[in-house]
Amino acid sequence: MKNKSEKEILDILSNAIEKDMPDVWDKIKNNQKSRLSDIECEMPTPIKPRRNLPIKRISSIAAAFVIIIAGIYISLFYGGGILKMFGNKPNMSLDSRFYIVEANNTLYYQDFTDGSKLYSMDMNGGNRKKLCDDYVVNLIADGEYIYYQNLNDQKQYRIRTDGTKRELLANVNGDVVIHDEFIYFTGNNGIYKINKNGQGLEKLSDVLANTLRFYNEKLYFSGIPTNNDSSNGGIYKMNLDGSNIQKISDQTTHDFKMSNNYIFFQIYGNKISHYIYRINIDGTGMKKLLDKELTTGTFDIKDNNIYFISSENSTPSLYKMDINGANITKLIDNFEATTINVIGNTVYCYHPSYGGRLFKVDTERKAKLEILTNYNKNNTDK
Amino acid sequence: MNNEIDKLITNVKSGNLNDFALLYQKMSKGVYALAFSILGDKPLAEDAIHETFIRVKLMANSYASGTNGTAWVLRITRNICLNVLKKRKFEVNFSTNEQSPGFESIDHISQKPEYAYDKKNEFENSIERFVLKEALNKLKDNERQIVLLYSVKGLKHHEIADLLNIPKATERWQYRSAIGKLKNLLKNY
């Protein structure tokens, strides 16, 4: 049988959705919350030109709508019902990823209890302070600045660690590396370099890449197979000016970490494998470090140890092992995290349940402490 | 598409209810595709469309005009769907354990709502529905969401990546993986 084209497959799916889609317009119109039943509001027929209502009429509808919405909001807000009505905070974080970095003994993080804005706190979780109102991701601490991407406008910013001097740097997206005066990032069609001041954009590579790392004065990145070039997948390295690009491994992965002259990764090729593998930085000596799969696909490396979540009898736990895959130790039983960040001697674990929970794990005492949570907020909504 | 949706929501914000109807017409397919891809259940997805547009109307004042309206609407849908899954988990927990729910894995549920798939006998009556059911069962969660959102032709790859909060390259990758799997599945169709 001939394989279907991409377009044919998309059409099949689109048609299936189209045929299956329920029409709930009348339900919405008659819903008391919407208040549409009180006002004339017709579903336009497809491609029907919009009616030109007299300005007077539009104004009166607009005024009625504003008054109704304001009334609903005020009554619910003062009646304590706005959260019940919305279930949970509409903008709460339900993402599996969490961003936290350390600089000068202070943590800088994406505060999921307040719209993923940039906050700082001390190493114990105290003295929380908001630095800016941007929806921040991909935090990088560099000198006296925190670099981040603002999801509200998809641009790269930096701000001083005291929350002053917020600066727009460049229209940058993807994975980012900051080194010297340059920002290196994975764009939609290759890898780029730009000055921190947003000037001098330069394309370094045409390889579509996902993860970018700086190691031993070189850039390492994971190439992603594309529709046009499936051989694009693999792990690459190149000089900081984009010269001497070499594919060092054919193993496709989308995230990897580097430590002790090794690259650690999971395989995301034709066969997806959530085991941790290791290769030397020249691509040789591939080794599977662990016979158990990572439950949430996240791991972090610090001081010759790898921290990860794996499961026994369906019960996930936090483990550590050395970078050779030996000395596996269970740190916290019956525990799960979708992001693990090791900072100093502390493992910070984030889980998106209940709108987000951040734990600090003491690896010596094998104990966990919840330092930031939406749990109480969301549990009272129940 | 995006500018158009942005304009419609901005008009809804100003009280233009005809544009609210138009917004429903333009966005309901995408909303359904996303809701169905997360919930895997038609009646639940129907409730999610309903709830999404109620919230869009009530929350229009909080919409920042000039931004990505499509993503704004679909983010509301996604939150609603994940809350539905979460509440189901709560219900299960509370019925079996009246104490503090402890540390629950919502991500597990949002990624693998198999219990919802079991209910989809209704999709076995036509080829298209069979295809949809197969897609739901065989694809990974992100793959399913991406390919369904893309197939309804309302969203571009970078918009889907933004919505799901994944890197654009990862979104492309998962899309490609989904298409690859579907090509295999549909070989004999």
Side-chain angles (χ1 to χ4, degrees):
Chain A
M1 276 291 173
K2 183 178 160 274
N3 268 349
K4 295 247 172 310
S5 71
E6 181 179 334
K7 188 181 175 305
E8 285 170 320
I9 286 170
L10 292 174
D11 285 345
I12 289 169
L13 288 174
S14 181
N15 290 337
I17 287 286
E18 183 98 52
K19 284 182 186 169
D20 200 56
M21 196 179 84
D23 187 353
V24 297
W25 175 249
D26 286 339
K27 243 170 116 179
I28 293 168
K29 204 179 154 188
N30 296 323
N31 186 292
Q32 279 194 331
K33 282 187 214 166
S34 77
R35 298 292 179 105
L36 290 171
S37 56
D38 301 345
I39 305 165
E40 188 184 340
C41 173
E42 294 304 324
M43 168 59 66
T45 51
I47 323 180
K48 180 183 170 185
R50 284 166 49 194
R51 284 187 295 166
N52 289 321
L53 294 177
I55 292 173
K56 237 180 171 179
R57 191 166 165 213
I58 293 173
S59 311
S60 59
I61 291 173
F65 179 64
V66 168
I67 289 166
I68 288 165
I69 296 305
I72 292 170
Y73 187 85
I74 289 167
S75 64
L76 285 167
F77 185 79
Y78 286 103
I82 197 81
L83 282 177
K84 280 180 198 158
M85 179 174 164
F86 287 151
N88 290 296
K89 267 180 79 178
N91 59 352
M92 74 177 184
S93 169
L94 283 164
D95 300 325
S96 60
R97 289 183 300 163
F98 170 72
Y99 301 90
I100 185 168
V101 293
E102 184 264 341
N104 303 322
N105 236 11
T106 301
L107 297 171
Y108 298 87
Y109 66 101
Q110 174 202 47
D111 195 317
F112 49 83
T113 67
D114 185 18
S116 295
K117 294 168 186 167
L118 180 62
Y119 273 68
S120 65
M121 64 182 168
D122 64 33
M123 302 299 280
N124 293 317
N127 293 325
R128 285 174 60 206
K129 181 185 161 195
K130 184 165 79 175
L131 300 189
C132 72
D133 284 322
D134 296 331
Y135 188 127
V136 298
V137 297
N138 290 351
L139 303 182
I140 297 170
D142 186 53
E144 59 181 348
Y145 285 98
I146 303 298
Y147 289 80
Y148 62 89
Q149 281 168 59
N150 177 5
L151 273 195
N152 291 329
D153 62 7
Q154 305 283 316
K155 290 177 180 161
Q156 183 79 24
Y157 289 78
R158 74 175 179 182
I159 191 168
R160 279 188 200 268
T161 50
D162 62 2
T164 61
K165 212 178 169 197
R166 172 180 174 271
E167 291 172 81
L168 171 63
L169 296 178
N171 190 357
V172 160
N173 53 49
D175 204 18
V176 168
V177 161
I178 309 279
H179 180 64
D180 287 341
E181 287 310 304
F182 296 102
I183 301 171
Y184 301 86
F185 65 98
T186 57
N188 283 332
N189 55 5
I191 298 171
Y192 293 84
K193 165 187 171 182
I194 192 168
N195 286 306
K196 280 179 179 172
N197 62 12
Q199 302 298 309
L201 180 68
E202 193 184 328
K203 192 172 192 181
L204 300 181
S205 161
D206 288 328
V207 177
L208 181 65
N210 189 59
T211 299
L212 189 62
R213 304 269 180 224
F214 174 80
Y215 196 79
N216 287 351
E217 295 300 316
K218 290 194 186 302
L219 290 171
Y220 289 77
F221 56 94
S222 55
I224 296 171
T226 62
N227 288 336
N228 298 330
D229 186 4
S230 59
S231 67
N232 198 46
I235 301 174
Y236 298 74
K237 74 172 177 182
M238 67 180 175
N239 294 332
L240 295 178
D241 61 1
S243 64
N244 199 20
I245 294 185
Q246 293 172 41
K247 189 178 198 179
I248 56 172
S249 171
D250 284 328
Q251 296 298 338
T252 0
T253 181
H254 68 252
D255 190 17
F256 63 90
K257 295 184 191 296
M258 302 188 70
S259 178
N260 298 60
N261 287 330
Y262 293 119
I263 299 170
F264 300 84
F265 61 95
Q266 295 163 81
I267 296 174
Y268 284 89
N270 290 331
K271 285 184 180 172
I272 292 175
S273 163
H274 290 291
Y275 300 100
I276 301 181
Y277 293 88
R278 183 184 85 181
I279 52 175
N280 300 316
I281 51 170
D282 63 0
T284 61
M286 182 157 155
K287 181 183 178 188
K288 184 178 175 183
L289 294 184
L290 183 68
D291 277 332
K292 291 197 291 188
E293 284 198 281
L294 302 190
T295 306
T296 54
T298 181
F299 66 96
D300 201 11
I301 303 174
K302 177 83 178 176
D303 296 336
N304 301 325
N305 284 310
I306 303 174
Y307 297 82
F308 58 96
I309 301 287
S310 195
S311 299
E312 262 174 9
N313 302 322
S314 303
T315 302
S317 299
L318 175 67
Y319 292 86
K320 78 168 180 180
M321 66 180 177
D322 66 31
I323 54 167
N324 297 313
N327 299 319
I328 300 172
T329 311
K330 188 187 279 186
L331 296 175
I332 304 288
D333 194 24
N334 193 17
F335 181 76
E336 191 176 73
T338 57
T339 302
I340 298 174
N341 286 93
V342 191
I343 296 172
N345 294 321
T346 305
V347 183
Y348 293 91
C349 293
Y350 166 80
H351 197 277
S353 55
Y354 306 109
R357 306 175 86 178
L358 181 64
F359 292 84
K360 177 183 166 183
V361 174
D362 182 331
T363 53
E364 296 299 316
R365 290 172 49 232
K366 296 186 179 175
K368 69 176 193 291
L369 174 70
E370 191 171 28
I371 58 173
L372 192 64
T373 183
N374 260 330
Y375 170 71
N376 292 334
K377 210 181 291 180
N378 290 314
N379 200 36
T380 49
D381 294 341
K382 165 80 186 146
Chain B
M1 172 78 173
N2 242 335
N3 286 343
E4 188 185 5
I5 298 299
D6 171 54
K7 202 178 277 180
L8 288 174
I9 301 173
T10 303
N11 290 345
V12 170
K13 200 171 164 177
S14 324
N16 187 330
L17 297 182
N18 286 318
D19 276 0
F20 180 67
L22 203 56
L23 179 70
Y24 171 84
Q25 193 181 68
K26 300 271 180 195
M27 283 294 302
S28 54
K29 192 174 169 187
V31 166
Y32 178 62
L34 178 62
F36 191 78
S37 69
I38 295 173
L39 298 167
D41 180 272
K42 187 177 171 182
L44 286 179
E46 188 174 329
D47 288 347
I49 308 177
H50 178 220
E51 188 65 19
T52 296
F53 283 94
I54 296 292
R55 287 197 199 181
V56 164
K57 186 169 173 292
L58 294 175
M59 293 163 67
N61 280 340
S62 70
Y63 173 70
S65 297
T67 59
N68 189 332
T70 306
W72 185 74
V73 173
L74 292 177
R75 197 160 284 136
I76 290 173
T77 307
R78 188 161 182 259
N79 283 347
I80 289 168
C81 294
L82 293 177
N83 282 343
V84 167
L85 294 175
K86 188 164 72 173
K87 280 175 183 164
R88 286 191 149 199
K89 179 71 175 173
F90 276 140
E91 283 161 15
V92 172
N93 286 338
F94 286 154
S95 64
T96 54
N97 179 6
E98 293 296 324
Q99 295 170 351
S100 166
F103 198 53
E104 295 301 335
S105 166
I106 299 308
D107 214 35
H108 273 180
I109 319 166
S110 63
Q111 288 178 7
K112 293 181 174 62
E114 290 94 344
Y115 59 88
Y117 300 159
D118 295 337
K119 297 178 181 173
K120 291 183 290 304
N121 294 330
E122 61 193 285
F123 291 107
E124 286 170 356
N125 298 328
S126 70
I127 293 294
E128 287 85 358
R129 288 174 180 188
F130 172 76
V131 167
L132 191 56
K133 187 184 173 202
E134 283 297 292
L136 284 166
N137 284 325
K138 302 286 181 192
L139 300 185
K140 287 181 174 293
D141 304 293
N142 261 9
E143 291 172 349
R144 185 173 56 249
Q145 290 177 35
I146 290 165
V147 80
L148 283 177
L149 283 170
Y150 192 71
S151 72
V152 301
K153 294 179 170 48
L155 287 173
K156 293 172 185 152
H157 281 298
H158 70 89
E159 292 172 335
I160 296 172
D162 289 346
L163 174 70
L164 301 181
N165 196 18
I166 56 177
K168 292 171 179 62
T170 305
E171 188 273 341
R172 286 285 178 98
W173 181 334
Q174 291 174 338
Y175 170 76
R176 191 178 159 277
S177 164
I179 291 292
K181 287 177 187 173
L182 290 172
K183 276 183 181 172
N184 266 337
L185 276 172
L186 303 177
K187 227 181 257 177
N188 299 320
Y189 161 57

